[in-house]
Amino acid sequence: MLLERIYDEDLAQASYFIGCQAKGEAIVIDPRRDLDDYLSLAEKHGMRIVAATETHIHADYLSGTRELAAKTGAQMYLSDEGGPDWTYGPDMDEAVRMKHGHRIELGNITIEAVHTPGHTPEHLSFLVTDGAQSSEPGFMLTGDFVFVGDLGRPDLLDEAAGFVDTRFQGAKDLFASLRDRFLTLPDYVQVLPAHGSGSACGKALGAIPASTVGYERNFSWWSRYLESNDEQGFVDELLSGQPDAHAYFGRMKMENKIGPAVMGEVPALVEYTAEQLTAELTADEVIFVDTRNNVEVHGGTVARSLNIPGIDKAASYGAWVYDPLIEQRPLVLFAADRTEAEAMRDHLFRVGIDSAHGFLTTLDGLELVKPQLVQPDELDSFDRVLLLDVRNRTEFSEGHVPGARQISGGRVLWKLDLLPAKDAGTIVTYCQSGVRNSVAASALRRAGYDIAELDGSYARWAEMGNPTEVGDSVSV
C-alpha cells in the first residue's frame, strides 16, 4: 500500500493519496482544487486515480473532489449521513452516497466509512486496511473529527454558516463519536487528521502530522472527560475559547454542499504593462493585488489595491478581502514572474477565487500612494472615530490597546454595519505585528473607509510600555 500525505501550509490542510501498487489504482481523500500534486503522484507510481472522496462538507477550503473526478474520471464517494439538511446537492449526483460501514475496495486495500458526527452531522472518518499486511485496519483518516491533541470544533455551523445553537448538540455528538467509534479502536491504529497547527477548525491543534488512538486516549485534554463519562464538562471545555471563524467559511460550506464549479483547463495569465494596468484601473475594470509585505506596502502602493502578502498565505488572506459572490472585477497580481503568479493563482483557487486574470512584474510607471500611519506616541491625540483591533478575540482578550473594539480581519468585511459611517472620520486599525492589519486595512480602504494603521501594531505599542487592557467586553 502507498499512503502519501499532501499538506497545504497555507490552509493547514491535509489530503491523502492512497494507492494499491498491485492493481495500480488510487484514491484521493479530501483533495483541493489544484490537482498537480495528485496527478504527479499517480504518474510517478504508475497509478490511475479511480476514486475521490471527502470526510465532510468543508468550510475552510473549496473541495477538489468534483474537479478531480472531472479530470481523471474517478468515481466520487460522498457522505449520505446527517439527515436531509446535510445531503450534497444535485451537482454531485454522480457520486456514490455512503452510509456508515460503506466500503471502497482498491485491490488489497479496504477503506471503510465510519460515521463520526460532531464537527458536522454528516462527517465520516475512514478506516484503512492494507490486506496485504493484515485483516484489521491500521489507519484512521479522521478528517475534522480528531486532530493531534485536539478535536474538530462543533460551533462552525453557528459561527460561519448561519445556524443557531447547533454547537451544543454537535459537542454531544462528538462526545458520543469518541466513545463509540474512536476509543473502541486498538491503540496501535494510526490517526491521520485533515488539519494541523494554524487551522481555524480547532483551538489547539498540534504541529505533528500524525498520532495514534493510544496516544490520544492517554494524553489528549478530552480523554479525562471520556474516562469519567463527564459529558457536560467535555461540552463546556470544548466550546470555550474557540478562535474566530472566518466569514468566508459560510461561502465554502454553501459551495461545497451544492458542488464546486469545475474549472477544467484554465486560461494563461495575461502579462500586463504599467500602461495597460493604469488604463484598466482608471476604468475600474480590474483590482490590483499588491503581494509585498506590509513594510514595503507602507512605502507606496497602488490606490485601492488589495494587500495579499506573498504566496504562502494567499488563500487565507485572499478569502479575507475578496468575495467572488459579490466582486466581479478580475484580479491582477504583482509577481516576480509568471511562475510565481501561477502559484499564487493556485492558492486562490483553493478558496474559490477563480478570477486572477493577469500579472505585473514591476511597479515602475505606476502612480503610488502611501497608506496613512499613526505612531504609537501619537495615538492618544490622533483624531479618530474608532480604534479597531483585527486580531482574533482570544488575542484581544489577552491584551489590547485601551478603548479598542475587536473584529477579526477574516470577518471585518462582513461586519461593516458595526463600523462608523464611511464619512464619519478616520478608523485606526492594528493587529499583532502589522501583517494582518495591512491586509484588512487595504480591504477597508477599497470599501471606502478612511483608514490609518497603527505603525508596528500591538507588539510595538506594548514594547514601548504603553498601557494595555485585558478582557473581551467590547469584542465582536
Side-chain angles (χ1 to χ4, degrees):
M1 182 180 77
L2 174 73
L3 194 159
E4 294 271 2
R5 175 180 181 258
I6 300 94
Y7 195 69
D8 174 13
E9 296 282 355
D10 188 344
L11 297 168
Q13 181 266 335
S15 49
Y16 294 88
F17 182 102
I18 301 175
C20 175
Q21 291 104 326
K23 198 170 183 181
E25 294 181 346
I27 183 173
V28 181
I29 298 175
D30 288 333
R32 59 181 191 243
R33 292 172 86 215
D34 53 312
L35 306 178
D36 286 352
D37 284 342
Y38 317 118
L39 301 178
S40 295
L41 277 170
E43 182 179 8
K44 176 182 177 181
H45 295 285
M47 293 181 175
R48 293 184 302 115
I49 298 174
V50 299
T53 188
E54 54 196 55
T55 51
H56 63 292
I57 300 172
H58 295 283
D60 55 313
Y61 73 102
L62 202 56
S63 164
T65 298
R66 194 172 181 224
E67 192 75 35
L68 189 59
K71 179 72 173 181
T72 66
Q75 176 63 60
M76 293 187 292
Y77 294 86
L78 299 172
S79 175
D80 197 30
E81 295 283 3
D85 288 342
W86 304 100
T87 301
Y88 285 84
D91 284 348
M92 308 295 270
D93 278 351
E94 296 179 1
V96 173
R97 309 296 175 121
M98 296 183 291
K99 295 287 189 182
H100 174 75
H102 186 100
R103 294 189 173 195
I104 303 170
E105 308 282 348
L106 294 176
N108 293 320
I109 301 169
T110 300
I111 299 167
E112 181 180 347
V114 180
H115 186 212
T116 49
H119 175 66
T120 60
E122 83 289 352
H123 193 285
L124 298 176
S125 298
F126 295 104
L127 282 172
V128 181
T129 301
D130 180 4
Q133 299 292 327
S134 172
S135 60
E136 299 297 327
F139 308 87
M140 188 182 217
L141 276 65
T142 52
D144 287 21
F145 168 37
V146 176
F147 300 128
V148 178
D150 203 5
L151 301 170
R153 58 192 294 183
D155 63 321
L156 278 184
L157 303 180
D158 294 349
E159 291 293 315
F163 289 81
V164 178
D165 289 342
T166 61
R167 67 188 70 200
F168 302 107
Q169 185 58 49
K172 292 179 180 179
D173 289 343
L174 199 54
F175 186 88
S177 293
L178 288 166
R179 180 190 62 211
D180 301 335
R181 305 290 198 210
F182 187 77
L183 292 178
T184 57
L185 296 171
D187 280 354
Y188 61 75
V189 172
Q190 293 189 44
V191 174
L192 304 175
H195 291 290
S197 179
S199 170
C201 292
K203 59 181 175 180
L205 281 70
I208 300 171
S211 185
T212 64
V213 171
Y215 189 89
E216 298 305 311
R217 186 197 311 273
N218 283 285
F219 300 112
S220 286
W221 66 263
W222 49 263
S223 60
R224 66 183 184 274
Y225 295 109
L226 271 295
E227 186 176 355
S228 61
N229 199 31
D230 181 4
E231 182 186 68
Q232 190 57 53
F234 171 86
V235 169
D236 292 343
E237 182 161 349
L238 177 64
L239 294 179
S240 67
Q242 290 288 357
D244 291 318
H246 304 312
Y248 83 90
F249 282 7
R251 174 171 62 87
M252 293 293 92
K253 182 70 74 171
M254 177 188 68
E255 293 186 31
N256 281 326
K257 181 179 179 182
I258 294 170
V262 174
M263 298 183 296
E265 295 298 321
V266 296
L269 290 170
V270 175
E271 183 169 3
Y272 274 73
T273 66
E275 292 76 15
Q276 290 171 322
L277 180 61
T278 297
E280 294 193 19
L281 287 173
T282 300
D284 201 20
E285 295 173 347
V286 299
I287 298 172
F288 182 66
V289 177
D290 194 329
T291 60
R292 298 173 300 157
N293 64 51
N294 57 302
V295 175
E296 293 174 297
V297 168
H298 290 165
T301 187
V302 174
R304 303 188 70 236
S305 62
L306 295 175
N307 182 211
I308 304 175
I311 297 170
D312 291 347
K313 298 293 289 183
S316 301
Y317 292 145
W320 285 18
V321 299
Y322 184 91
D323 185 349
L325 297 181
I326 298 174
E327 180 59 72
Q328 303 301 315
R329 295 171 184 82
L331 301 174
V332 177
L333 311 174
F334 184 49
D337 51 34
R338 181 176 295 276
T339 299
E340 184 175 282
E342 289 173 346
M344 187 165 188
R345 179 179 63 176
D346 285 348
H347 277 244
L348 295 174
F349 285 156
R350 298 172 193 176
V351 287
I353 299 175
D354 301 344
S355 54
H357 165 71
F359 69 101
L360 182 79
T361 61
T362 179
L363 297 180
D364 292 344
L366 296 175
E367 183 178 347
L368 305 181
V369 297
K370 291 185 177 182
Q372 185 177 10
L373 302 180
V374 179
Q375 299 306 314
D377 58 3
E378 300 172 339
L379 183 61
D380 286 343
S381 59
F382 188 84
D383 185 15
R384 63 180 189 266
V385 294
L386 176 66
L387 178 60
L388 180 63
D389 187 322
V390 299
R391 298 176 300 163
N392 288 322
R393 60 189 171 207
T394 50
E395 295 173 282
F396 181 83
S397 65
E398 292 169 358
H400 55 265
V401 180
R405 187 174 193 180
Q406 185 269 339
I407 308 175
S408 70
R411 298 168 69 90
V412 68
L413 278 190
W414 287 261
K415 296 287 187 179
L416 297 181
D417 59 313
L418 299 177
L419 299 181
K422 295 178 182 179
D423 59 357
T426 303
I427 298 172
V428 177
T429 62
Y430 71 89
C431 66
Q432 185 66 25
S433 67
V435 176
R436 289 172 290 172
N437 185 47
S438 183
V439 175
S442 72
L444 290 172
R445 287 192 188 97
R446 181 164 181 84
Y449 290 88
D450 182 13
I451 302 295
E453 300 173 51
L454 180 62
D455 197 17
S457 277
Y458 183 73
R460 188 174 174 215
W461 172 268
E463 286 169 2
M464 293 176 65
N466 291 305
T468 62
E469 290 181 346
V470 297
D472 56 4
S473 60
V474 290
S475 174
V476 178

